[in-house]
Amino acid sequence: MVLTCDVCGAPIEGEPVIVEIDGAVLTLCQRCARKYINVKGVKVIKGPSQVQATQHPVTVVKYESRRGVTYRVSRPRVNVDKYEVVENYAELIREARESLGMSRDVLAKVIGVKESILRRIEDGQLIPDVELARSLRRRLVLAY
């Protein structure tokens, strides 16, 4: 039986981290444990000692209103890898899709986007984000 993380659903490799959050006991992977280990109200019940909190500071702001108290947690944005799209990316995607004999509908369902998004990418009207570009590259077996 494979243990899965109660937060992200990924299979847990290595030793799981067991935490208690507001009375609920959760089994977390190393990645999720790093995010939640220093949050107020989270108690680590069992886990490896190598789990360390993320280095990004977390700011908690308390807002009070007539309806009650609200807390807003803000984290600084992490720099995302910058990437460049080749000039003829629209043609490359269309040609690769057609060479595999796939319609736009089928490819859109496979990569999990609407057909209109894929059409706009193939027409050069939309530049795909990093995740979508990687998904297209994997599904269409594109060289980059």
Side-chain angles (χ1 to χ4, degrees):
M1 182 173 99
V2 176
L3 279 176
T4 57
C5 178
D6 291 333
V7 174
C8 68
I12 297 175
E13 296 178 10
E15 187 177 349
V17 178
I18 301 172
V19 297
E20 181 180 352
I21 302 174
D22 293 332
V25 178
L26 302 173
T27 305
L28 304 179
C29 63
Q30 296 283 325
R31 185 173 164 201
C32 291
R34 274 188 245 110
K35 292 178 186 176
Y36 294 103
I37 201 163
N38 283 341
V39 175
K40 184 178 179 181
V42 176
K43 178 182 172 188
V44 178
I45 297 173
K46 179 184 172 207
S49 58
Q50 68 262 24
V51 175
Q52 296 177 0
T54 56
Q55 300 299 321
H56 308 295
V58 176
T59 306
V60 179
V61 180
K62 180 179 177 181
Y63 295 98
E64 295 184 28
S65 65
R66 287 182 268 175
R67 291 185 176 180
V69 178
T70 312
Y71 295 94
R72 178 169 290 167
V73 178
S74 63
R75 295 180 175 97
R77 292 186 177 201
V78 178
N79 291 337
V80 178
D81 294 337
K82 295 190 179 203
Y83 70 100
E84 293 182 21
V85 178
V86 294
E87 286 184 31
N88 59 344
Y89 71 94
E91 293 172 25
L92 289 174
I93 292 171
R94 179 181 291 121
E95 289 171 2
R97 176 184 58 81
E98 289 173 350
S99 71
L100 292 174
M102 297 176 83
S103 67
R104 279 189 189 148
D105 288 340
V106 172
L107 180 59
K109 287 179 185 174
V110 168
I111 62 174
V113 297
K114 292 182 178 181
E115 188 269 338
S116 60
I117 298 290
L118 188 56
R119 183 182 68 243
R120 289 175 55 203
I121 291 171
E122 287 184 353
D123 291 343
Q125 298 173 351
L126 178 68
I127 298 173
D129 63 355
V130 175
E131 291 179 23
L132 183 54
R134 287 180 179 156
S135 180
L136 283 167
R137 189 182 75 212
R138 273 194 318 269
R139 301 293 190 233
L140 297 175
V141 193
L142 293 173
Y144 56 97

